[in-house]
Amino acid sequence: MFHHILGKTKGIEAFAEQLRSAGHTVHVPDLFDGRTFSSLEDGLEFVNEIGSEELIERGVRVASELSRDVIYAGFSLGVMPAQKLAQTREGAKGAIFFHACLPTSAFESPWQPDLPVQIHAMNEDPFFVEDGDIDAARELVALANHAELFQYEGKEHLFTDNSLPSYDADAMKLVMKRVLKFLANW
């Protein structure tokens, strides 16, 4: 499970802990070497310093230490390594994307139609809607045999992170219910 642009926050850890409490093994690598940020702008500045390709490669390196038969998950920026791994690493069991989705053409291998995926975002999140992620998500849902796009009422971007002001407890309850159902199926 790859964190968002603010880093490995307490909210990301809390999300992982909910999954662990339900009996799942969850790895949450820190792609920012311990750094967290208080604003999207600060996080973006850091990512621009290291480069998005390096960020993705950090995720790939971490995954190389794990079994291949995992479900990859990512939050916003963390969707980049999660989607690359799900889409290109043999043996992936599925993917869960929160707040973002990339075009499948972004990676050297096409999406495998039998690879299950869930995508979660708010229906008025400007990053998801205006930046084209919603179009990429719809394309992915059309390609995959087992795909779900869930849109929640609201405009918040990182609404699943309980350590941020954008957190939406009601939406998060539904997200967690759907994620746990997905994980139980695969």
Side-chain angles (χ1 to χ4, degrees):
M1 195 169 80
F2 297 104
H3 61 74
H4 50 65
I5 200 159
L6 299 179
K8 188 175 172 181
T9 62
K10 290 181 181 185
I12 292 292
E13 283 292 348
F15 193 107
E17 194 51 44
Q18 285 187 59
L19 297 177
R20 289 181 186 114
S21 294
H24 300 285
T25 300
V26 182
H27 302 277
V28 187
D30 186 345
L31 302 178
F32 289 177
D33 299 323
R35 294 184 69 178
T36 57
F37 302 96
S38 58
S39 74
L40 296 176
E41 295 78 19
D42 291 343
L44 183 58
E45 183 178 324
F46 176 74
V47 170
N48 287 336
E49 287 174 21
I50 65 169
S52 57
E53 285 302 315
E54 171 59 21
L55 177 84
I56 291 171
E57 287 311 307
R58 287 179 181 192
V60 170
R61 284 192 298 271
V62 167
S64 71
E65 300 171 10
L66 303 174
S67 167
R68 290 180 175 269
D69 61 340
V70 299
I71 293 173
Y72 297 99
F75 294 83
S76 190
L77 179 79
V79 168
M80 292 183 347
Q83 188 169 342
K84 176 176 179 149
L85 287 160
Q87 196 166 321
T88 65
R89 190 171 190 228
E90 187 178 327
K93 300 288 273 184
I96 307 171
F97 304 146
F98 303 97
H99 323 294
C101 186
L102 300 170
T104 58
S105 61
F107 304 105
E108 59 271 14
S109 299
W111 190 269
Q112 297 302 309
D114 288 329
L115 185 65
V117 61
Q118 267 191 355
I119 305 159
H120 301 267
M122 287 204 155
N123 64 346
E124 294 181 50
D125 170 1
F127 294 103
F128 190 75
V129 176
E130 295 168 19
D131 289 350
D133 294 57
I134 192 166
D135 297 324
R138 289 176 177 151
E139 173 196 339
L140 181 52
V141 168
L143 287 171
N145 296 330
H146 309 285
E148 298 172 295
L149 170 59
F150 295 110
Q151 292 187 273
Y152 304 85
E153 291 294 321
K155 61 181 175 150
E156 298 299 334
H157 184 56
L158 302 175
F159 71 94
T160 56
D161 186 324
N162 69 7
S163 68
L164 302 176
S166 56
Y167 179 67
D168 185 315
D170 292 334
M172 179 55 190
K173 285 178 191 172
L174 189 51
V175 167
M176 188 56 64
K177 179 180 175 182
R178 290 170 169 167
V179 167
L180 290 173
K181 182 179 177 185
F182 179 84
L183 293 174
N185 288 329
W186 311 105

